[in-house]
Amino acid sequence: MLPKIAGESNFSPTSKIWVYPISRRLTDAESEFVENQLQIFCKNWTAHNQELRAMGEVFENRLVILAVDESLAGASGCSIDKSVHFLEQLGERISADFFDRMTFGWLENETVKFGNLASFSAFVRSENFQPDTPMLNTLAKNRAEILEKFWVPFSESWQQRLV
């Protein structure tokens, strides 16, 4: 189970990725709204008046993923600031925080689960938890990492330092 960007072979493996965990599960209607807004934003996103080749998506109603193919034009500090400001405003519109770094994603019985530190810690103490439980790598930096390391075993994840 991978985000759409993984299948975008016309995006370079070095395409820059930003993964934004959402503070709550979006409804399907909210996810559709956010994806539509992301498409509009990405179509008009520029860096130093150069159009960026970008895409955005909502994954499992709990993550926003932005990608820029920097093989064509690189995202600058100002353009990244634009994306952050856009997501802040979008979050305000739907009462969700797209910058909740303490949202964890994992696979439990073939189902993607999300939760905060307390709920994830409870899962770690449960009988269903295994050291190789797949964790969502919200620190993936490029498309290659999405393809190869979007899901990593808990024992190799950044999250294992927190519980």
Side-chain angles (χ1 to χ4, degrees):
M1 182 173 314
L2 293 172
K4 291 178 222 164
I5 183 63
E8 289 294 324
S9 59
N10 56 343
F11 268 65
S12 164
T14 61
S15 295
K16 179 75 176 146
I17 298 287
W18 294 271
V19 179
Y20 296 99
I22 305 170
S23 59
R24 65 175 177 80
R25 181 173 182 76
L26 301 182
T27 66
D28 289 343
E30 288 172 323
S31 287
E32 185 177 329
F33 172 74
V34 170
E35 284 220 359
N36 287 336
Q37 294 301 302
L38 285 167
Q39 287 176 8
I40 293 166
F41 174 78
C42 288
K43 183 177 180 179
N44 296 302
W45 197 8
T46 61
H48 303 292
N49 295 321
Q50 250 189 318
E51 187 177 309
L52 293 174
R53 183 172 187 205
M55 72 176 288
E57 67 180 280
V58 176
F59 180 77
E60 294 290 320
N61 294 28
R62 286 302 301 260
L63 300 176
V64 167
I65 301 173
L66 278 177
V68 173
D69 188 344
E70 293 191 308
S71 66
L72 303 174
S76 66
C78 290
S79 65
I80 295 168
D81 288 348
K82 286 179 197 174
S83 69
V84 169
H85 186 65
F86 162 75
L87 288 172
E88 287 171 339
Q89 290 180 329
L90 187 56
E92 286 175 13
R93 287 179 70 182
I94 63 169
S95 299
D97 179 2
F98 294 127
F99 301 93
D100 185 0
R101 292 293 177 198
M102 294 310 289
T103 293
F104 298 83
W106 65 94
L107 278 179
E108 183 179 349
N109 300 322
E110 305 293 320
T111 302
V112 180
K113 300 281 187 156
F114 288 90
N116 60 19
L117 180 58
S119 63
F120 180 68
S121 294
F123 169 66
V124 168
R125 292 186 302 274
S126 77
E127 62 187 42
N128 291 331
F129 176 77
Q130 300 295 320
D132 62 347
T133 293
M135 299 294 300
L136 272 170
N137 178 13
T138 56
L139 301 180
K141 294 180 179 86
N142 57 47
R143 183 173 166 265
E145 285 188 20
I146 292 287
L147 286 166
E148 299 163 15
K149 297 178 184 175
F150 190 61
W151 293 99
V152 295
F154 173 76
S155 60
E156 298 173 22
S157 72
W158 66 267
Q159 295 97 335
Q160 54 95 17
R161 294 175 291 168
L162 300 176
V163 293

